Amino acid sequence: MHRLNAWLRRHPMVVDSAWAALVLFLSVLPDSTSASGWRLGVHYAIALFIPLLMVFRRRMPNLTVALAGGTGLLQVVLGVPVAASSIGYLVFAYTGAAFGAAWTSRLALVGGLLAGPLTLARYPSGGYTDDDGVWHGQHRSVAEFLLVSALMSTPFILCWAWGRLTRVRRAYLVELEDRAARLERERDAQAKVAVAAERARIARELHDVVAHNVSVMIVQADGAAYVLDNSPQQAKEALGTIASTGRQALVEMRRLLGVLRTADTAEEYVPQPGVEELPELLDQVRTAGLQVDFATSGHPRELPRGVELTVYRIVQEALTNVRKHGGPDVHARVAVDFGERELAVLIEDDGRGSTDEQLAGGGADGQGHGLIGMRERVGMVSGSLDVGPRPGGGFRIRAVLPLKAAH
């Protein structure tokens, strides 16, 4: 049924043709009119012309409404009696208001208002029209004429009002669709800008990591060449350090591939923080007034610089969000778990948490994009990120970063 309705909306002439066929069938039935003589021929011409206009009414609303109005006026002037084809005039009152231009809508309204008085004046009840078009019979009083005329015009006015309502509703739906599409484009554009900015920052930071590893390799190589003759054991240790550092640099370079960096993002390069600098970060946060507990578990060990930097930035961003959105007297906890193959970082608080709109929008926070940046960082090291409300109130962020280098 849904597909049928959608198909009919895409092919409106099919529906209009069906209604036109029904009007035509009723108009050509025997005894469908009291016309005689040459008026009977005009009746059949109108019975064919009005349904034909109905077929094209939505494709050419202005022309069809004008022709229908002229046909109705001609029918009144010639004295052709009202028949089933006159149902089409109601359809064109609706068409002018729903699909026509402003002048077409006004024409349909005026035609609907005059339909009752003109019809009643031309065909008063209780008499007949002769072959010369002269009416013979009794006439109504003025009050009765006005009342009956208003009743006869009411269906046309209702059809016109229905058409206006359809036009307003259609315009409202189009405006809603346009607004939704515009908001979606703006949201996608903001997300792309946030991702691009975050990738540029990650590129700068990973550049420092790789540059550091390469520098270590150069220093170790120079040292190995210097002590090669006098101390082969030290030279061997230096070569082992070079191999280990080279493998780590290769892993970081693989993570760097695909990160786009624009020319206007160049800044002064500085050493980047890691897990060892977390206590200093927490001290700064406590100084700012946020109560934070810190705990580690497992066996702490040296980590790839990319992973350490990701951990530091996630904790930094999460605590910043706690200060912004947690409310007064909020308490936070940071836990780092060193596993065999992965590193788990947990940041949670007992504040009022984040809103559903912020989560649905990817974590947009003013001009920043906190959760978007976290997801991008975690994705760079092939990790996973879980964010959401914490049972009992507050907010919770948990990141799992693999420690096994991928071959």
Side-chain angles (χ1 to χ4, degrees), residues 14-30:
V14 176
V15 180
D16 294 338
S17 299
W19 286 111
L22 178 61
V23 173
L24 177 62
F25 174 75
L26 295 176
S27 301
V28 299
L29 285 176

Side-chain angles (χ1 to χ4, degrees), residues 5 17 25 79 83 92 98 100 137 156 174 191 196 202 263 270 280 288 321 347 349 371 374 376 380 382 386:
N5 291 334
S17 299
F25 174 75
F92 288 108
F156 293 91
V174 170
I202 294 173
V270 295
E280 298 179 6
N321 290 338
I347 308 99
D349 65 84
L371 298 183
M374 289 185 190
E376 192 69 20
M380 287 295 298
S382 303
D386 180 26

Side-chain angles (χ1 to χ4, degrees), residues 331 333 346-354 386-398:
H331 183 274
R333 184 174 75 91
L346 175 66
I347 308 99
E348 58 182 3
D349 65 84
D350 56 2
R352 57 193 175 196
S354 182
D386 180 26
V387 299
R390 190 174 69 96
F395 201 72
R396 178 177 178 272
I397 297 176
R398 185 174 187 271

